[in-house]
Amino acid sequence: MASITIHSSSTVVPSHPTPTGAFSFSECDQYRAWTHLPSVYVYKSPAAEVVAVESLKTSLSQILVPYYPLAGRLHWLPGGRLELDCCAAGALFVEASTDAKLEDYGDFAPSDAVRELVPSVDYNSSIEELPLLLFQVTRFSCGGVVIGVATCHTVVDGASAVTFINSWASMARGEKTVETILQPLHDRKFLMPEKPLRPPRFDHVEFTKPPPLILGTSNPEEANQETTSALLKLTKEQIEKLKKRANSNVTNKTMGVGDEVQPRPYSRFEAITGHMWVCACKARNTGESRQPTIVRTPIDVRRRMKPPIPENFSGNSSFVVLTPECEFGELMSQPLSYAAGKVREGTWKMTGEYVQSVVDYLAGQDNINWLRTSFHSKVPVQASFWGNPNLSIGSWMSFPFYEADFGWGRPSYFGPATLNIDGKSYIMVGPSDDGSLIVAIRLQTRHMDDFKKYFYEDI
């Protein structure tokens, strides 16, 4: 891959004075990785004169006024918790170029080469020195442009980050102003523990260790296996075929509801996640049919709370749920409705009452470091290894990534720059308005070809 030349690196601060002082995070923020999620927006051949970097920096400076927490810095509190110092220290903005063409990067599947299109973060530095928001604009020899974005997961989740980027883009192209964008709501009161602190009302198995391999290597050895990532496209027709298969021969009992309830059909997410789970079991099959396995997935709880959390909420609002533990043999021998039903069992329990119990559980932890995972950074974490024989699957199907038009048109692709852990995956909306989806996944290299074969088999 051609080298990347850095032309300038500067700090962009809010264009006007912003609130200062300490800002408290919710428990939902606290257990997220404090590292940065790297992603790329790819733009094919915009006119060179249209990519006005100074305009991007000016509009970024302006939007950091309402989004002032993103211009702050973190610092540690006792128990591994974090606090935000709203100090207007700013975001990092890098200008770069490369002799490469966009086509040299193929489909932009997460890789070390794609990661270089996003500013690197020196995690050996003090956390108080690390910007929470970093951008890199890289011009390609073919005329294409990539905007690499790194956002600190403690401060924003996927939905909040996309809203920020799209608002910034609308200002950069002159369509909106600071006054007319959707104003972010920074108050974390919606996901704070009750006072006095109550004990959890549920058994929060989502924070227990995942099942290890029965046969073969230990978790540390599995974590060091060679891995590779891939982007797998699903057409609208293939998705409908999976949904039809998942909803065949389904009864109320298999959907976990009573006879008097009319259950809704399995969704795209339930069908695709169930299918991926089955395919991973087949690809990883060790010959031990009783090998236990689970799927871990984050669920956005904005609409599950009573009353719902406002849509302009700017913090983290997703909590992890687990499917019931299953065995390789039963997943591989049962129809797809079985796996889809297990996915539903995990996600449907995340009610507002359950969310509050999770918050209280987290607030009761003396130290929260052991809960933090990082699927997008090589920074060591204390949390459990979530690779083989398990999966972690996130849904990015509802995020409007392709509204990020900075004045030179919609991106031709958006996706993660890094998937650092075996078994990590995102189901993403594709760039075309044709109902297609893209699955970004990282697996051990020895399993990937078999996974692809089973993934597309019979669809």
Side-chain angles (χ1 to χ4, degrees):
M1 197 65 64
S3 62
I4 294 172
T5 301
I6 302 298
H7 299 289
S8 70
S9 181
S10 58
T11 299
V12 177
V13 300
S15 60
H16 293 85
T18 56
T20 58
F23 181 95
S24 297
F25 290 120
S26 74
E27 295 301 323
C28 189
D29 297 315
Q30 293 287 4
Y31 93 109
R32 312 307 299 187
W34 55 270
T35 51
H36 297 69
L37 174 63
S39 57
V40 289
Y41 289 83
V42 180
Y43 299 86
K44 287 185 177 179
S45 303
E49 65 274 10
V50 174
V51 186
V53 171
E54 286 307 314
S55 174
L56 291 178
K57 293 168 73 171
T58 298
S59 53
L60 176 59
S61 176
Q62 293 168 344
I63 199 168
L64 284 176
V65 175
Y67 279 93
Y68 64 90
L70 287 170
R73 296 293 185 267
L74 300 177
H75 67 86
W76 290 109
L77 296 174
R81 285 178 165 78
L82 290 159
E83 191 173 61
L84 179 64
D85 178 16
C86 294
C87 57
L92 182 70
F93 193 99
V94 177
E95 296 179 66
S97 66
T98 177
D99 290 335
K101 299 177 181 179
L102 291 178
E103 63 190 44
D104 294 331
Y105 284 75
D107 59 3
F108 282 86
S111 66
D112 290 342
V114 174
R115 181 63 181 83
E116 290 183 2
L117 298 171
V118 182
S120 60
V121 182
D122 181 9
Y123 291 114
N124 292 318
S125 300
S126 166
I127 198 170
E128 289 85 1
E129 299 175 13
L130 301 180
L132 306 180
L133 193 61
L134 304 93
F135 299 99
Q136 180 173 314
V137 178
T138 305
R139 299 174 189 263
F140 283 67
S141 62
C142 60
V145 171
V146 170
I147 296 183
V149 182
T151 52
C152 177
H153 212 330
T154 300
V155 187
V156 290
D157 62 9
S160 304
V162 172
T163 300
F164 167 79
I165 294 292
N166 289 348
S167 296
W168 173 32
S170 69
M171 290 175 58
R173 67 177 183 265
E175 181 179 302
K176 292 191 177 181
T177 65
V178 170
E179 293 74 27
T180 58
I181 63 165
L182 179 67
Q183 297 300 306
L185 177 62
H186 302 305
D187 193 338
R188 269 30 177 200
K189 66 181 179 182
F190 308 100
L191 295 170
M192 290 292 194
E194 297 185 351
K195 294 183 180 180
L197 183 63
R198 297 172 60 191
R201 275 74 71 200
F202 298 89
D203 180 17
H204 291 294
V205 295
E206 56 267 29
F207 299 115
T208 58
K209 290 186 177 180
L213 284 174
I214 296 175
L215 302 175
T217 57
S218 64
N219 273 355
E221 292 173 302
E222 282 297 300
N224 290 325
Q225 295 288 328
E226 179 186 352
T227 59
T228 188
S229 62
L231 298 181
L232 307 178
K233 183 176 180 179
L234 285 171
T235 65
K236 182 178 180 180
E237 292 72 27
Q238 289 171 324
I239 295 166
E240 289 304 315
K241 191 174 291 187
L242 283 176
K243 284 181 63 179
K244 183 177 180 179
R245 186 186 300 175
N247 286 291
S248 298
N249 302 315
V250 171
T251 66
N252 280 15
K253 183 177 180 181
T254 61
M255 284 196 168
V257 298
D259 292 336
E260 72 284 356
V261 177
Q262 181 62 41
R264 66 162 175 79
Y266 288 123
S267 66
R268 292 182 304 169
F269 177 76
E270 291 163 338
I272 296 169
T273 299
H275 178 60
M276 292 170 62
W277 196 9
V278 172
C279 293
C281 292
K282 291 179 178 179
R284 291 165 162 174
N285 192 7
T286 60
E288 176 52 75
S289 63
R290 297 181 62 187
Q291 171 64 56
T293 174
I294 56 179
V295 173
R296 181 181 195 266
T297 185
I299 297 295
D300 191 335
V301 302
R302 279 173 167 84
R303 297 180 182 178
R304 301 192 181 210
M305 303 300 288
K306 294 182 179 180
I309 297 175
E311 290 297 318
N312 61 335
F313 177 66
S314 68
N316 285 280
S317 63
S318 61
F319 288 94
V320 167
V321 297
L322 303 181
T323 62
E325 187 174 293
C326 297
E327 296 179 353
F328 273 26
E330 60 184 333
L331 285 167
M332 292 188 294
S333 62
Q334 296 280 353
L336 181 55
S337 58
Y338 182 83
K342 295 301 179 182
V343 173
R344 176 171 290 187
E345 281 188 55
T347 58
W348 274 26
K349 70 179 181 182
M350 189 60 77
T351 62
E353 183 182 6
Y354 194 92
V355 170
Q356 189 59 57
S357 180
V358 176
V359 170
D360 294 337
Y361 172 87
L362 293 170
Q365 302 300 306
D366 292 333
N367 191 301
I368 207 166
N369 275 324
W370 68 278
L371 293 170
R372 286 195 181 101
T373 56
S374 182
F375 297 108
H376 43 262
S377 165
K378 294 182 180 180
V379 174
V381 294
Q382 297 179 21
S384 302
F385 170 68
W386 273 92
N388 190 14
N390 309 297
L391 292 174
S392 293
I393 302 177
S395 172
W396 285 359
M397 293 188 292
S398 62
F399 293 163
F401 299 121
Y402 295 94
E403 292 179 12
D405 176 1
F406 287 89
W408 54 81
R410 288 161 50 95
S412 60
Y413 171 73
F414 167 88
T418 300
L419 292 175
N420 199 49
I421 302 293
D422 170 41
K424 179 58 181 174
S425 178
Y426 293 109
I427 306 172
M428 312 181 297
V429 63
S432 305
D433 292 324
D434 59 2
S436 63
L437 295 170
I438 297 173
V439 172
I441 187 168
R442 179 169 286 274
L443 291 172
Q444 291 180 17
T445 304
R446 57 182 174 152
H447 297 147
M448 182 61 86
D449 285 345
D450 284 339
F451 180 84
K452 291 179 180 178
K453 180 184 71 173
Y454 296 126
F455 187 80
Y456 287 114
E457 203 169 57
D458 301 326
I459 62 168

